[in-house]
Amino acid sequence: MRIAMVSEHASPLAAPGGVDAGGQNVYVARLTEELARRGHDVTVYTRRDSLDLPDRVPLPGGAHVEHVPAGPAETVPKDGLFPHMPTFGAHLARAWSAERPDVVHAHFWMSGMAAQIGAGPLGIPLVQTFHALGTVKRRHQGEKDTSPPERVGIERQTGRTCARVLATCTDEVVELGELGVPPSQVSVVPCGVDTARFTPAADTGRTPPRQYRHRLLACGRLVPRKGYDQAVRALEQIPDTELLIAGGPPADDIPADPEARRLLKLAARVGVAERVRLLGAVDPHDMPALLRSADVVLCTPVYEPFGIVPLEAMACGVPVLATDVGGHRDSVADRVTGRLVTPQDPGAIADAARELLADEALRRRYGDAGRARVLQHYTWARVADGVEQVYGLTRADHELSLSGEVA
């Protein structure tokens, strides 16, 4: 099958952890790699953000990344890319006129917009994964939401008119229903994790030396919605414990980062500054070892469309303490692989953390159960199985509709 992936701001070549580089980058990269290994012809279309980038770059397994000229060839915050999507879509239309894909899979709402421009006139079926919905972001961020005002309307239009929406969690199906997308048009396939890389077994990765009896670890983009401030506030009630936060700019640039400064000021104000360490961007090679070095991995966002960090932690056999939001409700089994707590409640985080830290046997049991859960539901092979089924269903429905038009 010839598959076109569209991921306008999240290149599979980017290192996760930056402001606009996170789970979507990992999802597109790993899914593409797995599909290519199965013999599919996969091309990922992402925006050119540097003049130094080649037009096409090979990926492991035989897929390729194509850099699309749309807007300036420099880094642009994703919320500033909207005006360049018509140019992006026009490029796709030209490319697909010359070499038509069997199915297009768009990632994020702006990719959906560009993909419809490219695929619509050619009659190519479009599968849409939003990864995050503007309605949810607006609900939680209010006036701080920097998304273009057109976002929700385009998401509504894309969701209703594409061939199928591929959601990553059951919570998203409800949100899509509020946009008028019927559940019958939505398939749920979760994100995955590399279980050969993220394992309970020790490796050669580097980890910071432990300075207190217990270690809590939080990972991801250094942005307010990730809720690291809630973890810092909770730490005040968790004695003899350090909190490491991995993600954001390189370590040398942490002092200049606005969110880092906010968190460090908060830590000083609540009296835990000496127990909070911001690591900045961590070498991907070191991430499994860093996760294993923690007694508990914290995932405390205000909202989370899916969340890959819980899967990585569970794959490493480490219990997860997560907020009861979004994709966490699917991936983290409360009191089986970890704990789910009310969002924006430092007291609840502290209570659950103290319970876990006080019982090593409980942590080990949760960790073992987490690894088993990941192997059963969240390997990239299982994810690719589900995505292939969605593609097959989409193509069959499309061919059926064409035969009906001919009849």
Side-chain angles (χ1 to χ4, degrees):
M1 189 185 306
R2 181 172 290 129
I3 302 163
M5 297 275 190
V6 184
S7 183
E8 97 293 336
H9 77 275
S11 170
L13 301 173
V19 172
D20 288 332
Q24 183 178 328
N25 304 71
V26 175
Y27 179 96
V28 172
R30 297 287 79 81
L31 176 60
T32 296
E33 183 177 341
E34 182 65 29
L35 291 171
R37 282 175 175 164
R38 296 179 179 207
H40 298 291
D41 181 354
V42 189
T43 300
V44 182
Y45 296 86
T46 192
R47 197 186 74 88
R48 177 185 293 277
D49 61 6
S50 171
L51 291 173
D52 297 330
L53 293 171
D55 291 340
R56 283 175 67 85
V57 179
L59 288 174
H64 290 84
V65 172
E66 181 169 319
H67 292 112
V68 176
E74 60 189 35
T75 300
V76 176
K78 70 181 180 207
D79 287 336
L81 293 176
F82 175 66
H84 306 299
M85 289 304 101
T87 302
F88 197 117
H91 177 96
L92 297 178
R94 291 191 295 272
W96 296 341
S97 294
E99 191 172 24
R100 179 191 179 92
D102 297 306
V103 66
V104 174
H105 188 174
H107 301 270
F108 202 56
W109 69 277
M110 282 186 285
S111 292
M113 174 186 173
Q116 283 195 321
I117 294 172
L122 300 173
I124 304 169
L126 169 63
V127 174
Q128 174 69 40
T129 297
F130 287 106
H131 293 280
L133 288 169
T135 49
V136 179
K137 185 176 182 181
R138 183 175 296 174
R139 182 186 312 142
H140 290 284
Q141 295 192 4
E143 294 181 355
K144 294 181 180 179
D145 180 9
T146 57
S147 300
E150 297 90 349
R151 175 174 180 171
V152 172
I154 291 174
E155 287 178 340
R156 180 181 294 110
Q157 187 270 340
T158 302
R160 291 176 176 179
T161 59
C162 68
R164 182 155 291 270
V165 177
L166 196 161
T168 56
C169 68
T170 53
D171 191 67
E172 188 180 347
V173 179
V174 177
E175 297 288 349
L176 288 164
E178 294 296 321
L179 288 173
V181 181
S184 60
Q185 194 179 326
V186 183
S187 298
V188 178
V189 180
C191 299
V193 64
D194 184 345
T195 54
R197 180 166 161 253
F198 291 91
T199 74
D203 62 14
T204 57
R206 299 169 297 172
T207 62
R210 185 176 291 208
Q211 298 178 357
Y212 292 85
R213 180 183 178 188
H214 295 300
R215 170 175 289 180
L216 302 175
L217 173 67
C219 309
R221 293 184 295 142
L222 203 58
V223 293
R225 82 165 180 86
K226 290 296 184 180
Y228 301 128
D229 57 339
Q230 304 301 301
V232 171
R233 291 180 188 278
L235 192 64
E236 184 182 9
Q237 305 172 51
I238 310 171
D240 201 14
T241 301
E242 62 186 2
L243 170 64
L244 273 57
I245 300 175
D252 291 344
D253 297 332
I254 282 288
D257 183 86
E259 179 64 3
R261 291 200 304 268
R262 183 178 79 92
L263 294 172
L264 292 173
K265 287 180 181 178
L266 174 62
R269 190 162 66 248
V270 301
V272 297
E274 73 283 356
R275 295 195 283 134
V276 175
R277 282 189 278 172
L278 271 61
L279 305 180
V282 172
D283 188 321
H285 175 75
D286 295 328
M287 277 306 303
L290 180 61
L291 288 163
R292 282 194 298 272
S293 78
D295 296 300
V296 177
V297 170
L298 298 183
C299 302
T300 57
V302 177
Y303 68 96
E304 186 63 80
F306 183 81
I308 285 181
V309 173
L311 299 186
E312 294 175 341
M314 290 192 296
C316 289
V318 181
V320 176
L321 199 173
T323 44
D324 186 12
V325 297
H328 292 172
R329 294 168 176 163
D330 288 356
S331 59
V332 180
D334 190 35
R335 297 193 181 276
V336 177
T337 68
R339 290 297 312 280
L340 290 174
V341 298
T342 304
Q344 295 184 293
D345 187 344
I349 296 170
D351 290 345
R354 287 196 305 269
E355 176 188 349
L356 288 167
L357 295 176
D359 192 336
E360 184 177 353
L362 178 66
R363 297 198 304 273
R364 189 179 303 113
R365 187 163 70 248
Y366 283 0
D368 290 345
R371 174 72 180 179
R373 184 174 177 82
V374 162
L375 291 175
Q376 184 176 4
H377 298 291
Y378 296 106
T379 65
W380 282 113
R382 292 297 298 270
V383 173
D385 287 343
V387 172
E388 279 185 322
Q389 290 176 9
V390 171
Y391 292 168
L393 177 63
T394 300
R395 290 186 68 193
D397 288 346
H398 181 67
E399 291 169 3
L400 184 63
S401 68
L402 290 179
S403 64
E405 290 176 5
V406 172

